[in-house]
Amino acid sequence: LLVLIARLIWVECGWIDPDTPADALTMTSLQTSQTFKLIMSDEFEKAGRKFGDGQDPTWTAEMHSDDAMTSSGYGSMQYYNDTMVTTNDGYLNISTTSDRTLWKGYNPYKKKYVQLFKDFRSGMMTSWNKFCFTGGIIEMRGILPGKADIGGLWPAFWLLGNLGRATYEISTNLIWPWSYEKCNREFQVKQEISGCNEVNHFGLNPFQGRGSTEIDILEIMPGITGETTTYDFDTVGLPYLSGSLQVAPGITENRPIAKELVDPSMTWYQGMSYGPNTTQNFHFYGLSVGETLPLEPVYRSAKQAYNADGISSITSLNSSYFEEFHTYKLEWQPGSVGGYLAWYIDDVMVFKIPQESLDPFGSQIPAEPSYIIFNTAVASSWGFPMPCPSGCTCECYDCSDPKCACSFYDGFCDSLPAHFVVDYVRVYQNPDDGNHTQSCNPESHPTSRFIEGMKYRYLGYTGTKPLKSVKK
């Protein structure tokens, strides 16, 4: 009885799922051995939940085409449909199918509305502007979608700063993924919310640079098991899990190039730690956020272009991760003093970035209030045959058309529908650490008035306001 009473008191804050087991109400940090307390959980026990706009107090499943021209969306071929996210048998289920979606969209070149399409349908669920946290431990237990040895799916579990809304490129322009609070006149035109601004408006703090920082807890690259691509130095092979911090400002000179190992002649981050079966991610060192193209829904001049760095690792996986439950955890200590990020798989640390790795370049471990994202993408830039097979144009990706078969790895279309299955997600914080906050609008890093004042950047498919009110 005492245990039951204590548990009821614990969950009264509202973000904690009453179905959370009593032994999961605290967690010991594997970095500091301190006891962290549960501040949020979702056990997904109730069957048939719906996550469309206005249907859930914690989550929103997106309902639009993913056209973001960033690392999280480039080359995307899926339409996010909120019906692809539901719960059954005590689990969250994000499904991906080869169903085509047709809709009318504006073509800026033809200057008229035309019929558009995406060949795949999938789900993205986020807690944007509902549940956010800064610092602590987040853990998810799940089964990855698809087949370990067939490339093509791009499942992800990640955090994004609340000032940006994932896949809404207009909300992240000159915002993503800045983690730089100081004043630097060189960066002022590139970072919309600059530390040089005496008046930042919309309730933002003066002289505080802000951004929408990105922490990728996992991104999964499936592929032929054990294959080590064509690089002699690739000891991880396929399939692999990538864990990353994406951060701006990025390195501008003498930076490494994708598919090359970092050598002493290059300028890159040092002091990261790697666990078993894990190496530096030589596939990805970040992006050049350049001058915009006419088709993009935002504007960036050549003077506003900047680099965003990807400080990333890759960890070797096997088929069990696609067939059985495993846990994925991030420990996050925010800020420029004592900050760090540490990634774990089944409680084994695989990657760590300390603040000291960022110090030479002025950026910091993120301190932005961040929200949770689950999604599965299908992108020609991720896990598809490269280079394009001989005699194939790789311009057709319709699973129902035999002429498109050469664009896929064997068995990809037959592997659909695929399901990203999540048992639970839980967030813990140290109640004695003032850098740990649970809010999308903390006093130290406010967001609400900015989002309200710039709401056109965050509008969902309804086109009237960013999020509908949740019906009780």
Side-chain angles (χ1 to χ4, degrees):
L1 179 61
L2 290 176
V3 172
L4 177 60
I5 293 172
R7 187 164 178 267
L8 290 173
I9 293 173
W10 202 296
V11 301
E12 68 180 0
C13 70
W15 292 114
I16 297 176
D17 189 335
D19 289 322
T20 305
D23 61 2
L25 297 178
T26 62
M27 176 174 283
T28 300
S29 165
L30 297 177
Q31 287 289 311
T32 68
S33 298
Q34 294 173 300
T35 299
F36 285 38
K37 292 185 177 182
L38 187 70
I39 64 160
M40 179 272 186
S41 61
D42 201 329
E43 307 295 325
F44 304 113
E45 290 294 328
K46 182 180 179 182
R49 284 171 62 182
K50 296 181 179 180
F51 299 99
D53 190 8
Q55 293 182 312
D56 191 88
T58 304
W59 307 103
T60 303
E62 295 292 350
M63 185 76 166
H64 66 92
S65 172
D66 180 1
D67 299 314
M69 301 294 286
T70 67
S71 63
S72 59
Y74 189 74
S76 295
M77 297 186 291
Q78 81 284 349
Y79 192 99
Y80 285 130
N81 189 307
D82 58 28
T83 64
M84 306 303 284
V85 185
T86 188
T87 53
N88 50 53
D89 300 321
Y91 306 116
L92 174 72
N93 190 318
I94 299 175
S95 298
T96 304
T97 69
S98 57
D99 296 314
R100 174 173 281 199
T101 300
L102 302 172
W103 76 99
K104 291 287 187 179
Y106 187 73
N107 186 314
Y109 295 121
K110 296 182 179 180
K111 297 183 178 180
K112 64 178 182 180
Y113 283 87
V114 298
Q115 182 166 282
L116 303 174
F117 69 91
K118 292 282 188 175
D119 282 317
F120 300 91
R121 194 173 297 169
S122 193
M124 168 181 274
M125 185 179 81
T126 90
S127 66
W128 176 73
N129 216 30
K130 291 181 176 180
F131 172 80
C132 307
F133 72 105
T134 307
I137 301 171
I138 180 170
E139 181 179 82
M140 178 271 287
R141 182 173 182 261
I143 302 175
L144 303 175
K147 303 293 185 181
D149 58 352
I150 301 176
L153 294 182
W154 187 352
F157 169 48
W158 46 303
L159 306 176
L160 195 66
N162 198 54
L163 287 172
R165 187 173 184 182
T167 70
Y168 290 71
E169 190 176 0
I170 194 171
S171 75
T172 56
N173 185 39
L174 305 179
I175 297 287
W176 175 91
W178 284 92
S179 188
Y180 189 81
E181 294 195 354
K182 296 171 287 188
C183 173
N184 184 316
R185 295 297 179 184
E186 178 186 353
F187 300 150
Q188 189 172 8
V189 69
K190 308 169 189 288
Q191 182 182 15
E192 178 176 351
I193 306 173
S194 168
C196 301
N197 297 350
E198 181 177 358
V199 180
N200 264 323
H201 303 293
F202 301 111
L204 301 178
N205 297 322
F207 303 114
Q208 182 186 39
R210 299 288 305 280
S212 179
T213 48
E214 179 172 340
I215 305 170
D216 301 310
I217 303 170
L218 67 80
E219 293 180 281
I220 304 300
M221 174 73 81
I224 299 174
T225 304
E227 185 173 293
T228 56
T229 66
T230 58
Y231 304 98
D232 294 337
F233 50 79
D234 183 2
T235 60
V236 170
L238 297 170
Y240 66 71
L241 176 151
S242 172
S244 311
L245 168 64
Q246 301 202 49
V247 64
I251 296 169
T252 57
E253 297 181 2
N254 203 31
R255 57 186 291 124
I257 299 172
K259 310 302 180 183
E260 292 184 358
L261 284 180
V262 175
D263 66 44
S265 69
M266 300 174 183
T267 303
W268 195 243
Y269 302 83
Q270 303 296 320
M272 293 83 75
S273 302
Y274 300 90
N277 305 311
T278 303
T279 67
Q280 184 176 66
N281 185 356
F282 64 88
H283 300 285
F284 179 70
Y285 295 106
L287 294 171
S288 174
V289 186
E291 183 178 2
T292 47
L293 302 172
L295 187 62
E296 294 189 65
V298 298
Y299 175 77
R300 248 182 342 266
S301 69
K303 290 183 178 180
Q304 292 175 309
Y306 58 93
N307 287 330
D309 289 340
I311 311 169
S312 181
S313 69
I314 50 175
T315 301
S316 178
L317 301 179
N318 57 47
S319 60
S320 76
Y321 294 87
F322 299 79
E323 299 167 357
E324 303 168 5
F325 284 103
H326 291 265
T327 59
Y328 305 90
K329 178 191 298 183
L330 176 80
E331 291 207 22
W332 169 22
Q333 182 60 29
S336 60
V337 179
Y340 62 83
L341 296 166
W343 285 255
Y344 293 84
I345 300 176
D346 295 328
D347 282 339
V348 176
M349 195 187 84
V350 294
F351 187 39
K352 181 178 179 180
I353 305 173
Q355 174 59 40
E356 290 77 9
S357 296
L358 278 60
D359 283 340
F361 310 105
S363 54
Q364 67 175 40
I365 296 295
E368 291 287 338
S370 299
Y371 60 99
I372 306 167
I373 306 169
F374 291 95
N375 71 289
T376 301
V378 184
S380 59
S381 62
W382 187 272
F384 274 66
M386 284 189 183
C388 186
S390 177
C392 187
T393 63
C394 291
E395 295 177 352
C396 167
Y397 295 97
D398 183 353
C399 280
S400 65
D401 187 345
K403 296 178 182 178
C404 304
C406 62
S407 299
F408 305 104
Y409 283 115
D410 289 344
F412 174 73
C413 291
D414 291 336
S415 73
L416 302 178
H419 307 281
F420 190 173
V421 179
V422 178
D423 184 17
Y424 64 76
V425 59
R426 299 169 185 160
V427 179
Y428 300 81
Q429 290 185 327
N430 183 348
D432 299 321
D433 191 328
N435 291 318
H436 291 191
T437 62
Q438 185 279 294
S439 174
C440 292
N441 188 46
E443 185 176 346
S444 63
H445 292 76
T447 69
S448 62
R449 288 178 58 189
F450 184 87
I451 292 171
E452 177 62 26
M454 299 287 188
K455 66 180 180 180
Y456 70 93
R457 300 182 179 186
Y458 304 91
L459 291 179
Y461 71 96
T462 58
T464 55
K465 57 183 180 179
L467 292 175
K468 293 180 180 178
S469 299
V470 178
K471 298 178 181 180
K472 296 183 179 181

